[in-house]
Amino acid sequence: MIRGSSALKSLTNRRLYSTGVKFTSLSNGITVASELDPNAKSSSVGLYFGAGSRSEHLHCNGISALTANVLASQPAKGSLLTSRNDKEFNGVIAQTTNDNVIEAGKLIASIGSNALDIAEKADLTSQKQQLIAQANFVENDPKSKVLSHLYSSAFQGYSLALPTLGTAGSIANLENQDSLRHLAKHLVNHNTVIAASGNFDHDRLVEALESNLKIAEGVKPDVKPASFLGSEVRMRDDTLPKAYFSIAVQGEGLQSPQYHVAKVAAAVYGDFYLHSPFAKYTSPKLASIVQEYNIVESYNHFSKSFSDTGVWGYYAEIANKFTIDDFVHFSLKQWNRLSISVSEAEVARAKAQVKTALLREATGSEAIATNIAKQLLLVGHRESVRESIAAIDAITVNDVKEWGKSKVWDRDIVISGTGLIEDLFDYNRNRNEMAMLRW
């Protein structure tokens, strides 16, 4: 039996000291949600609305990120304005001191109320240049590129496949009218949330927003469900020093009751970095295999969730291209074991790691505010940290095995790779590794 970490217990006690999330609906129908933490040294207030690249089409890809960046470029006295761009939502966040939260709320309210006017008068030239630079960075960074194309291949034919920030070509053609149409459709009261976190008075923030925030009425736009397609995309580049690739199956959405089970299943295999001083002490069996045969430099398993679907798999980097097939074979055979022989100890360790990651992510006022808004916009309710931990604790070995049988065993995969991937064998070869003959 794995004993609990004292550090984890300390972090849990500290993190759960928050007084919980308070919700208030303004007269215009907008929800204000804030988590009060007496220990917070700063606060954040954000205006979030459901949109992101999933709300776009091919010829306006990048407009949601560009629009959010424009709104976040307004003068801000006493606050730091930033934008948050995701596949399914965007946000403008004001980070400030605890004593200045009301002024930050008024600033956010002013931006939301005058968003159309700001977008109409904005000079997009410099903002487009900055966004193009960010989009090019994604394409030039091997890991970001592989994962971006992984999603694009998995959900091809749907808006979920579009790059979060757009492409250099699509961004260059965007105009002010595109932003106005985007805001008119998505920045409406039933698709907007004000989320905040820090040490302040919730009621005073609500009063400031009630008198200053004016947003048009409208319904939340429908989102077309995306279907997962087993497929592959290869971007071989022999000028790069390694092979960078990812293999995944369809995962769980944020709304799925199996969301936490998928997280635990990914943590069963965990992460590995060859040059870490702790590499030899990495627990998962896959880590022991790759060290014995020296076949991979690093890998990390993930469970990435969108509102209604997701991807579950790993990203790996291999310097010796002749060991790519060895690693793919051993890793996918370990995936087979998820349905057959995963142990109590492995699941216990994975649950502890998932809880630790959950608590680590839920620190900092901006991260907490964004998490609140994300769950409200994409799920419809906020699951507290206590509820999440309770759900993770309730997961059993049988739950993980049943999930592996239904989601991993003999399921279609999606492959994305760049760099020295000459020896990344064909799709059918790798697809056949997703099950084993048993008699």
Side-chain angles (χ1 to χ4, degrees):
M1 180 177 180
I2 296 180
R3 290 172 289 182
S5 165
S6 59
L8 175 61
K9 292 177 182 176
S10 173
L11 179 58
T12 303
N13 293 334
R14 205 164 55 242
R15 174 65 189 86
L16 297 183
Y17 189 66
S18 72
T19 57
V21 181
K22 293 184 178 181
F23 299 92
T24 300
S25 293
L26 303 180
S27 59
N28 57 14
I30 294 175
T31 297
V32 179
S34 68
E35 180 168 307
L36 308 183
D37 184 355
N39 293 325
K41 297 181 179 180
S42 63
S43 297
S44 296
V45 183
L47 170 76
Y48 300 85
F49 55 99
S53 57
R54 195 172 186 179
S55 69
E56 304 166 352
H57 57 73
L58 187 62
H59 301 294
C60 73
N61 186 206
I63 191 60
S64 59
L66 179 64
T67 302
N69 290 353
V70 168
L71 296 180
S73 66
Q74 303 308 298
K77 184 178 180 181
S79 298
L80 173 64
L81 274 180
T82 58
S83 60
R84 175 62 186 265
N85 300 307
D86 201 88
K87 279 192 175 291
E88 297 183 284
F89 70 93
N90 298 95
V92 179
I93 307 102
Q95 301 175 61
T96 187
T97 61
N98 293 326
D99 296 334
N100 195 50
V101 171
I102 306 305
E103 292 304 315
K106 292 178 180 179
L107 172 63
I108 289 296
S110 175
I111 292 173
S113 303
N114 300 290
L116 291 172
D117 189 51
I118 294 171
E120 184 176 21
K121 296 179 180 179
D123 181 3
L124 299 184
T125 304
S126 62
Q127 292 294 336
K128 288 201 291 186
Q129 290 175 347
Q130 294 177 27
L131 190 58
I132 288 173
Q134 294 174 21
N136 286 337
F137 175 81
V138 171
E139 284 297 302
N140 292 330
D141 176 64
K143 182 176 182 178
S144 300
K145 180 177 183 177
V146 165
L147 294 178
S148 177
H149 285 272
L150 181 79
Y151 308 145
S152 296
S153 186
F155 304 110
Q156 55 188 280
Y158 298 90
S159 56
L160 190 56
L162 295 174
T164 303
L165 302 178
T167 64
S170 66
I171 296 168
N173 295 323
L174 297 176
E175 301 177 351
N176 295 72
Q177 288 299 318
D178 296 315
S179 283
L180 293 175
R181 285 191 291 268
H182 179 77
L183 289 171
K185 181 177 181 180
H186 297 283
L187 188 60
V188 294
N189 62 340
H190 291 299
N191 193 41
T192 301
V193 169
I194 301 293
S197 176
N199 186 10
F200 55 87
D201 189 321
H202 172 85
D203 294 330
R204 288 188 60 206
L205 176 62
V206 169
E207 290 175 6
L209 293 169
E210 181 68 64
S211 57
N212 291 281
L213 181 59
K214 311 297 179 185
I215 288 182
E217 293 186 3
V219 298
K220 184 180 181 71
D222 291 332
V223 176
K224 184 179 180 181
S227 295
F228 181 91
L229 179 66
S231 54
E232 65 176 355
V233 55
R234 296 170 182 252
M235 301 157 285
R236 179 178 170 182
D237 184 352
D238 290 347
T239 65
L240 295 177
K242 306 175 188 176
Y244 310 86
F245 65 94
S246 179
I247 299 179
V249 296
Q250 183 175 16
E252 301 292 343
L254 292 169
Q255 302 175 16
S256 170
Q258 301 297 312
Y259 169 78
H260 293 297
V261 179
K263 290 283 188 183
V264 170
V268 166
Y269 302 109
D271 305 339
F272 173 77
Y273 180 52
L274 178 63
H275 304 299
S276 167
F278 307 108
K280 292 184 178 180
Y281 307 104
T282 308
S283 299
K285 186 175 181 179
L286 179 60
S288 300
I289 295 173
V290 299
Q291 289 183 90
E292 181 180 353
Y293 297 103
N294 192 27
I295 57 177
V296 67
E297 184 168 307
S298 67
Y299 66 79
N300 67 279
H301 280 79
F302 58 82
S303 178
K304 171 68 175 177
S305 296
F306 307 107
S307 60
D308 58 339
T309 188
V311 288
W312 183 97
Y314 66 73
Y315 166 81
E317 296 184 5
I318 298 178
N320 180 3
K321 65 181 181 180
F322 297 112
T323 64
I324 294 176
D325 187 54
D326 294 329
F327 175 70
V328 172
H329 168 77
F330 284 118
S331 61
L332 298 188
K333 287 307 166 189
Q334 283 297 302
W335 285 11
N336 294 166
R337 203 170 59 80
L338 190 68
S339 308
I340 305 168
S341 57
V342 63
S343 69
E344 291 273 2
E346 287 176 305
V347 172
R349 182 186 64 245
K351 288 162 64 175
Q353 291 174 348
V354 171
K355 288 186 288 186
T356 302
L358 173 69
L359 295 169
R360 188 188 303 120
E361 292 169 0
T363 55
S365 61
E366 182 186 359
I368 295 171
T370 299
N371 180 265
I372 293 171
K374 178 180 179 179
Q375 291 195 38
L376 292 179
L377 288 169
L378 304 185
V379 183
H381 64 89
R382 171 82 193 292
E383 183 179 73
S384 70
V385 174
R386 289 186 185 275
E387 291 171 331
S388 297
I389 290 178
I392 294 167
D393 284 336
I395 295 172
T396 65
V397 173
N398 189 61
D399 292 331
V400 175
K401 287 183 178 179
E402 290 301 317
W403 185 86
K405 291 175 184 177
S406 64
K407 291 292 187 175
V408 181
W409 181 273
D410 201 21
R411 294 293 175 178
D412 285 344
I413 57 176
V414 61
I415 302 172
S416 173
T418 190
L420 302 173
I421 56 172
E422 177 184 358
D423 278 29
L424 179 60
F425 283 8
D426 70 274
Y427 180 89
N428 288 330
R429 162 67 179 269
N430 295 323
R431 173 64 178 83
N432 289 338
E433 299 276 18
M434 293 300 291
M436 63 175 70
L437 293 176
R438 303 177 68 202
W439 61 88

